[in-house]
Each structure stands twice: as structure tokens, then as C-alpha cells.
Amino acid sequence: NAFYSVTLKNMATPWTNRDFTVFEPLNDYTATFIGLVRDDADLREALYADVIYIGDPALGVTPYSNSNNAHYETLENQGYNLRTALVRRNQSAVTGLPAAATAGVMTTRAAAKAFMIDGTNRANFRYTLLNHLCNDMEQLKDATRPADRIRQDISRSPGGDSRIYLNNCIACHSGMDPLVQAFAYYDYVYDADNDEEGESGRLDYNSPGAVDADTGSRVKGKYHVNANNFKPGFVTPDDAWINYWRQGPNTHLGWDGGLSGSGNGAKTMGQELSHSGAFASCQVEKVFKNVCLRPPANAADRGQVATMVSNFENSSYRLKQVFADAAVYCMGD
């Protein structure tokens, strides 16, 4: 039980908040990660499947809610064994989100509350990269990509100096903005006047036929904010995304040649990210640090990580396999 309630919970909890703190209650994001590992599922599903893990209804705990976290806090506070208490469900059946709009942990309430609240939804993408591909925007800067999808809210001459845009802003936004377009129909809605932290907010999705008052289309208003910063900039018309990083220096992330590199919505974009070599390497490095209590530090460690990545891929992306490999390697430490 400690493996699920302590080791995996403490490993995943920092991914669910902007402060990377472990001191947060269980939520639908962490529970879903724990469940996928427990069930030996293909961990890549974490970024695109119609999946969520909830407490077994037979336990009689507070039911899942789209507008609070009481269900998971009750599970944790009452000390349920997460190895047996969690059950897999279709996210669409539990939350009401259309099946095509589900994207694993990226469309959980916890992710929405942390990364889709206010802002422009770029945070949900950035933190997914950080937590699941072990890369931040700083490492992925590439000023050689087309800038045609950079939104209007990005000034082309910040502080009156266009060099800042050309040398810095464009290097991140040219690749990020076309991918973040996948989240164009999502927002986290809450009562900003009476609930500043959004504790009672919920994920909101514009289904087909919905028209947002601010954009006149399905696209959420947050995608058209600060349009006067650069009027000729890109105006998001839909949720069609494209991965410009398949060319240039970021090919090193190891994109899946069997995927097209473009699509619509968070589900296919999540598949693009999780089918990368960087996703597999990232999971292995995190487990190595977790089990060995240190990052890979020398040639032997790096060789072991490479072997573990290969084993992870060959075991249908089952993370328990990675924990087992790490435990054997670091046994004498």
C-alpha cells in the first residue's frame, strides 16, 4: 500500500500544481497516474486516454464532483488502501466531458484548476512538457521555426525593442503556440469575486455548436485576449494543432514517425507528446531519482537509464517494470 499511497502519490503530486509542492491532497490527476501504474497500463495513455480513476463507489465515500475535490480528500483522509480502492472508469462517463475531448490527466479537474485557470492555456502545455517530457521551454527554444501561429497577445516589440521578440519570444512561441491551440475549447470557470483560488471551479469545454460570446466561435475567449498587442498576429479559429518541432533542433525529442505531427484537440496532441522518445526517457529518469535518491551521475548510471528506457518501451510502457529495474540497480546504494 505504501508504494501507491506514498511513493507514487508523492512522485505525482508536484506535477499537479505550479509550485511543484508535494503537500497537496490526492486528486483526480494523481489518482489516475497511480491507477495506470497499478494496472500495468500503457503509461502513454496518461496524456490521451478517456480514463480517470475514482474511489470504488462500493466504499460509500463522497461521490466524484466536477466542482470540488472532496471525493479524493475523503479517500485519503479515511486512509483507504489505494491499491484496492481505486477503480478505472471512462473520464467521459464520470465528468460528462465528450469522449473525444478527454486527454488523460491533461483534462482532469486538477490539471484544469492548476493550469487552465485564467491565463491563455499555455501553462497546461508548459507544465505537461516539464512533468512528462522533462523539458522546459528554455531547453526547447528554437528561433528557426515559422512564426505564423504566434497569437496577437505576444508583443512583437516588448518595451519598444523588437530584438527581444526576435531573440527570445519567437524562440518559444513559434513552437508552443501551434501546439497549445489543441486546448482552444477548454477553460476553468469559477467565481472570481467570491472564490479567488477557484476551489469550487470546474473544467468547461465548448462542444460542437457552442459559440463563445468573446470570439463568436467555439474558441474560448482567453485565446483572443490582448489582441491589440499585435493585431496582425494569429487569431485562433479552432483547435487544429501542428508540431513545428518535428523539424529543427527539437527533433532530438524523438517524435513518432508513425504519427502525422498535426491534428485537432488535446487527445491527438497528447498522443504526439507521449509517443515521443523524451516521454519514455523522462519517466525512467524520474523513477531512477525516486528509487536511487539521486539523479543519474556517471557513465554506469546513464547506461542503466538507457537499458531501463529500452525495457520500458519493450514492456508496453509499464512503469512498474521501471521501478523493478531501478530497485535492483540501486540495491547496494
Side-chain angles (χ1 to χ4, degrees):
N1 180 39
F3 176 66
Y4 298 99
S5 300
V6 180
T7 303
L8 290 181
K9 199 252 175 180
N10 288 348
M11 182 175 168
T13 299
W15 311 338
T16 70
N17 61 82
R18 296 190 188 217
D19 296 326
F20 302 108
T21 179
V22 73
F23 301 110
E24 290 280 339
L26 184 73
N27 56 48
D28 52 358
Y29 189 132
T30 47
T32 299
F33 170 74
I34 291 166
L36 289 169
V37 176
R38 181 200 67 190
D39 291 347
D40 274 333
D42 182 334
L43 198 68
R44 295 176 300 178
E45 289 188 353
L47 298 190
Y48 62 82
D50 182 6
V51 62
I52 193 170
Y53 279 78
I54 61 171
D56 189 337
L59 299 174
V61 299
T62 311
Y64 181 93
S65 170
N66 284 331
S67 55
N68 64 58
N69 193 44
H71 172 72
Y72 295 97
E73 290 178 34
T74 304
L75 271 180
E76 186 168 38
N77 294 340
Q78 294 184 2
Y80 282 101
N81 181 342
L82 297 185
R83 186 172 66 82
T84 55
L86 295 175
V87 292
R88 179 174 177 143
R89 293 288 185 266
N90 285 343
Q91 191 177 131
S92 53
V94 172
T95 68
L97 197 62
T102 59
V105 297
M106 294 197 299
T107 52
T108 55
R109 180 180 183 273
K113 179 177 180 291
F115 310 129
M116 291 189 189
I117 192 168
D118 304 328
T120 60
N121 284 354
R122 291 183 180 102
N124 201 24
F125 177 74
R126 182 203 164 202
Y127 281 91
T128 299
L129 282 184
L130 262 171
N131 296 323
H132 300 289
L133 275 72
C134 293
N135 277 276
D136 200 353
M137 294 308 304
E138 193 61 34
Q139 286 96 55
L140 301 176
K141 286 167 81 165
D142 173 13
T144 67
R145 297 301 92 213
D148 61 320
R149 294 265 196 130
I150 300 181
R151 288 187 232 162
Q152 294 173 308
D153 63 327
I154 303 302
S155 170
R156 272 42 173 193
S157 54
D161 188 348
S162 62
R163 290 172 301 178
I164 297 173
Y165 168 76
L166 292 170
N167 294 326
N168 290 307
C169 309
I170 194 173
C172 287
H173 285 278
S174 58
M176 173 168 58
D177 282 15
L179 285 160
V180 178
Q181 198 171 327
F183 297 126
Y185 303 154
Y186 300 83
D187 198 3
Y188 185 76
V189 297
Y190 68 104
D191 181 350
D193 295 326
N194 303 303
D195 178 22
E196 285 185 24
E197 300 299 316
E199 295 298 335
S200 300
R202 61 181 175 82
L203 175 64
D204 188 65
Y205 178 77
N206 282 348
S207 293
V211 177
D212 191 286
D214 293 324
T215 66
S217 69
R218 274 181 78 184
V219 175
K220 288 288 188 182
K222 57 168 54 183
Y223 274 72
H224 288 199
V225 297
N226 298 323
N228 289 328
N229 281 358
F230 187 68
K231 272 200 174 293
F234 185 69
V235 181
T236 305
D238 53 33
D239 67 350
W241 61 269
I242 185 167
N243 183 6
Y244 285 158
W245 289 336
R246 278 181 167 252
Q247 283 82 42
N250 290 325
T251 54
H252 79 274
L253 294 174
W255 305 108
D256 183 347
L259 297 175
S260 68
S262 62
N264 285 81
K267 185 182 288 290
T268 53
M269 198 272 286
Q271 199 169 20
E272 175 82 346
L273 296 180
S274 66
H275 279 244
S276 67
F279 177 86
S281 299
C282 182
Q283 314 317 306
V284 170
E285 286 173 23
K286 286 186 296 191
V287 170
F288 187 98
K289 287 180 194 169
N290 199 282
V291 174
C292 304
L293 305 179
R294 59 181 175 81
N298 52 46
D301 287 353
R302 287 188 285 276
Q304 175 63 18
V305 165
T307 299
M308 286 162 61
V309 170
S310 180
N311 291 348
F312 181 45
E313 293 170 342
N314 292 332
S315 71
S316 302
Y317 296 86
R318 295 185 298 112
L319 203 66
K320 272 193 275 190
Q321 174 70 48
V322 182
F323 274 97
D325 288 350
V328 171
Y329 180 74
C330 292
M331 204 179 288
D333 286 8

